[in-house]
Amino acid sequence: MIYTEDFFAQNSPYPNDDLVQLVDNLTKENVNYKKIAVWMDGTSINSSNEANLIDGKIYRKKGTEYYVNTLILSGSELNAGLFGVRADGATDDSDALQKAFDFCGKNGWKLKLPIGEIVISKNIVCAITTNTNINRFQLIGSGVNLTFLRSIGTTGGLHFVSDGLNGSSYLTISGFTITRPDVTNASGGAGVYVKNIMELTIKDVEVFKFNIGMQIMDTCSSLFENVKTHWGDKGFYCEMVAVTPPNLLTFINCHFNSNAVKGVELYRIHNVKFDGCGFEGNGGNALEASFATANGRVGLNLINNYFEGTSNGVDVYYTLNSGGTANFIGNTFNRLTASIYTSVFVLSNTAEKSYLNFVGNGFMNGGKFIPNGDKPAVLITGNTANIHYTDTNYYETPSDELICLP
């Protein structure tokens, strides 16, 4: 059968809708919307609880009957276009995207961002509820080169916040680029802000020119893969507020480049690993982290990472506030600027025993850097009475070699 506009107009249960509604030729049922008696959480539908649920997009009402979009019944992802996101590079999609976040965050649904340029002029907040058994959310873009969020307001990032005492689980964010105007100074607050989420995954996301590329608070057991935060003030910031310190965070093939203040800043870490990550051209400390033993005795693990062109700081600034271990294995440190002091600076604020393992790291001097005895490649200072270290690094000159001050 060939469907016509007249057929849709005569047979749609929503004759005034601005969306085309398909009607099955045999059953005469609407294919896009099905009649229901309960909400997606299983509770009964009635006039007393409909006010916050009838949104005209997912849930609809005609007369005394209720309908739901069939994507919900099939368990399919929801495209942000369903909520009015146009992604045409001109329309301000802030309100439409917020509606999509409101529904999907509250109900733990997967939200797909379309191909195109989504303009936002304010922070878009996903409040992930823990009042039900559904406390997870997925935001899936079409790819870093296909889905762009262009932030044009005073603020304009993506915020994901749980209301649970001990946080929510299973937040996944992937496949998009979020940018600020390409002017001299970074702006806009945090590009991606996450608070009180456990088992977070952020993959294939690029953040450009925000004050803070990613700000991750009260989060543990999380993976960051193919993440790029660059040309901001701080590329990545993470700490504990009330729930958990940065614990069991893994960064794989991430890049923190050309940030004016710091590349990465982490406080009170435990078992944090950077594997195959790049830190280039940062205008302050490329990686700054502190360790305390709230959750264990292993702090920082750096494996096969690349540091180059740091200025007005050091490549790694690591503070020990408790005894434990840290491992630096197979990393490259290229000192190219005159203003870099040292590559690895360890400050010990504890009398407890600590073990630092430097295995197979390579240190190169180039560019405008001039080797000096007071600029060793690795400097350990502070309370070093109980510091133990191994050193199988490669140094270009004797003046580069590790120094542990008494």
Side-chain angles (χ1 to χ4, degrees):
M1 177 176 180
I2 299 175
Y3 296 105
T4 66
E5 291 185 9
D6 288 340
F7 178 85
F8 294 138
Q10 294 169 13
N11 291 275
S12 172
Y14 307 103
N16 296 321
D17 285 350
D18 58 0
L19 299 175
V20 171
Q21 305 300 323
L22 301 180
V23 178
D24 188 276
N25 189 33
L26 296 177
T27 66
K28 306 303 181 183
E29 289 184 298
N30 186 285
V31 180
N32 298 93
Y33 289 86
K34 292 285 186 180
K35 189 186 300 184
I36 53 170
V38 296
W39 303 115
M40 64 194 317
D41 63 1
T43 58
S44 297
I45 298 176
N46 54 66
S47 58
S48 65
N49 62 18
E50 70 176 37
N52 294 326
L53 294 167
I54 300 298
D55 59 3
K57 300 295 184 182
I58 304 302
Y59 288 104
R60 296 187 174 189
K61 181 180 181 182
K62 182 183 182 185
T64 60
E65 295 178 336
Y66 301 90
Y67 296 80
V68 68
N69 192 298
T70 52
L71 292 172
I72 296 297
L73 299 179
S74 67
S76 301
E77 66 189 25
L78 299 177
N79 193 293
L82 180 64
F83 298 87
V85 172
R86 301 186 66 176
D88 59 9
T91 304
D92 187 343
D93 283 325
S94 299
D95 292 340
L97 187 59
Q98 185 62 64
K99 289 178 181 178
F101 271 42
D102 288 344
F103 180 87
C104 293
K106 178 174 64 178
N107 295 291
W109 217 259
K110 178 190 273 190
L111 178 65
K112 179 75 172 182
L113 297 178
I115 293 174
E117 186 174 300
I118 302 169
V119 177
I120 57 174
S121 58
K122 58 186 176 182
N123 289 332
I124 310 300
V125 181
C126 182
I128 301 174
T129 182
T130 56
N131 293 331
T132 68
N133 292 327
I134 304 172
N135 64 347
R136 59 193 64 190
F137 173 64
Q138 295 183 63
L139 179 68
I140 312 297
S142 299
V144 292
N145 294 320
L146 295 173
T147 297
F148 294 86
L149 291 106
R150 182 161 59 89
S151 171
I152 62 172
T154 303
T155 60
L158 303 182
H159 290 214
F160 306 85
V161 181
S162 169
D163 64 5
L165 180 63
N166 295 313
S168 295
S169 300
Y170 308 118
L171 170 63
T172 300
I173 308 168
S174 66
F176 62 86
T177 295
I178 180 168
T179 71
R180 291 290 294 172
D182 188 6
V183 295
T184 302
N185 296 320
S187 60
V192 175
Y193 177 90
V194 179
K195 186 175 187 297
N196 210 14
I197 305 290
M198 313 303 146
E199 298 179 71
L200 163 70
T201 298
I202 301 182
K203 184 176 182 180
D204 301 325
V205 172
E206 181 175 352
V207 186
F208 174 77
K209 213 71 175 187
F210 279 81
N211 296 120
I212 301 176
M214 288 189 181
Q215 184 171 354
I216 312 295
M217 315 293 278
D218 283 331
T219 296
C220 70
S221 302
S222 298
L223 171 67
F224 305 87
E225 185 174 356
N226 299 328
V227 168
K228 185 174 185 179
T229 63
H230 57 141
W231 290 97
D233 291 330
K234 294 182 180 181
F236 190 101
Y237 181 91
C238 187
E239 69 168 321
M240 172 180 174
V241 177
V243 179
T244 178
N247 181 20
L248 202 61
L249 305 185
T250 299
F251 298 81
I252 299 176
N253 194 36
C254 296
H255 297 271
F256 312 95
N257 300 335
S258 303
N259 295 289
V261 179
K262 289 174 186 174
V264 174
E265 189 173 8
L266 311 169
Y267 289 102
R268 300 180 65 189
I269 63 172
H270 305 278
N271 274 99
V272 170
K273 180 177 76 168
F274 290 85
D275 189 344
C277 297
F279 302 78
E280 296 189 54
N282 291 292
N285 296 333
L287 170 57
E288 183 173 322
S290 68
F291 170 70
T293 57
N295 282 19
R297 291 291 186 176
V298 178
L300 183 64
N301 297 289
L302 295 183
I303 303 172
N304 190 37
N305 301 290
Y306 190 90
F307 295 82
E308 181 175 284
T310 301
S311 60
N312 300 311
V314 303
D315 289 329
V316 180
Y317 192 112
Y318 188 53
T319 303
L320 295 169
N321 294 316
S322 302
T325 66
N327 302 287
F328 303 77
I329 302 172
N331 301 287
T332 294
F333 297 91
N334 292 342
R335 296 188 284 178
L336 305 181
T337 64
S339 61
I340 187 173
Y341 172 58
T342 185
S343 287
V344 180
F345 182 89
V346 179
L347 174 63
S348 175
N349 293 325
T350 179
E352 296 178 342
K353 62 182 178 182
S354 298
Y355 292 85
L356 305 174
N357 300 304
F358 298 94
V359 180
N361 302 288
F363 296 86
M364 187 194 81
N365 302 324
K368 297 181 180 179
F369 180 78
I370 301 175
N372 239 303
D374 63 349
K375 288 186 174 183
V378 181
L379 177 62
I380 305 171
T381 187
N383 189 340
T384 61
N386 285 315
I387 294 284
H388 306 269
Y389 64 86
T390 58
D391 180 4
T392 60
N393 294 330
Y394 176 84
Y395 305 104
E396 286 197 335
T397 69
S399 63
D400 295 331
E401 294 181 6
L402 184 153
I403 294 177
C404 184
L405 297 176

